[in-house]
Amino acid sequence: MQEQGSLIASLLPLIVLFGIFYFLIIRPQQKQAKQHKEMLDALKKGDKIITNGGMICEIVKPEEDFIKAKLNEDTIVKISREFVAKKIED
């Protein structure tokens, strides 16, 4: 009986540490990734976005894996969805 009590007492700090780690690091990252995915899925023509490279552009045509975006009146580029950092709210 003494060995079981000492085993639980020795594992308790590890369990508490894992719980703290989960709620402070893992869970917020999962929530942020879910919000980013929802934002990517909701992109539509006319939305303004910022890419990971810092370019600000306007969506011309959202496709499944890529987005056609207009940098200026003459330049249209094709951007992978993974490189969209955020949507600019007007």
Side-chain angles (χ1 to χ4, degrees):
M1 260 332 192
Q2 289 288 348
E3 293 176 11
Q4 286 181 346
S6 66
L7 178 65
I8 292 173
S10 65
L11 288 179
L12 188 61
L14 290 174
I15 293 170
V16 170
L17 187 63
F18 179 75
I20 291 170
F21 185 75
Y22 176 77
F23 283 106
L24 291 179
I25 296 174
I26 297 172
R27 192 164 178 242
Q29 283 182 346
Q30 288 175 339
K31 186 177 178 182
Q32 184 180 17
K34 182 180 176 185
Q35 288 174 339
H36 189 258
K37 184 181 182 319
E38 289 172 355
M39 182 269 305
L40 288 177
D41 292 340
L43 289 176
K44 60 188 182 303
K45 182 179 178 179
D47 288 344
K48 292 190 184 220
I49 58 172
I50 298 178
T51 67
N52 288 339
M55 292 189 301
I56 299 174
C57 38
E58 183 178 334
I59 295 177
V60 174
K61 181 180 178 189
E63 297 175 351
E64 189 160 329
D65 293 332
F66 296 95
I67 295 172
K68 287 187 180 177
K70 179 170 58 170
L71 296 176
N72 58 26
E73 296 303 319
D74 300 329
T75 310
I76 295 178
V77 294
K78 197 171 187 180
I79 303 169
S80 178
R81 281 190 179 261
E82 291 109 28
F83 290 98
V84 174
K86 63 182 179 177
K87 177 181 171 183
I88 300 174
E89 300 294 333
D90 290 333

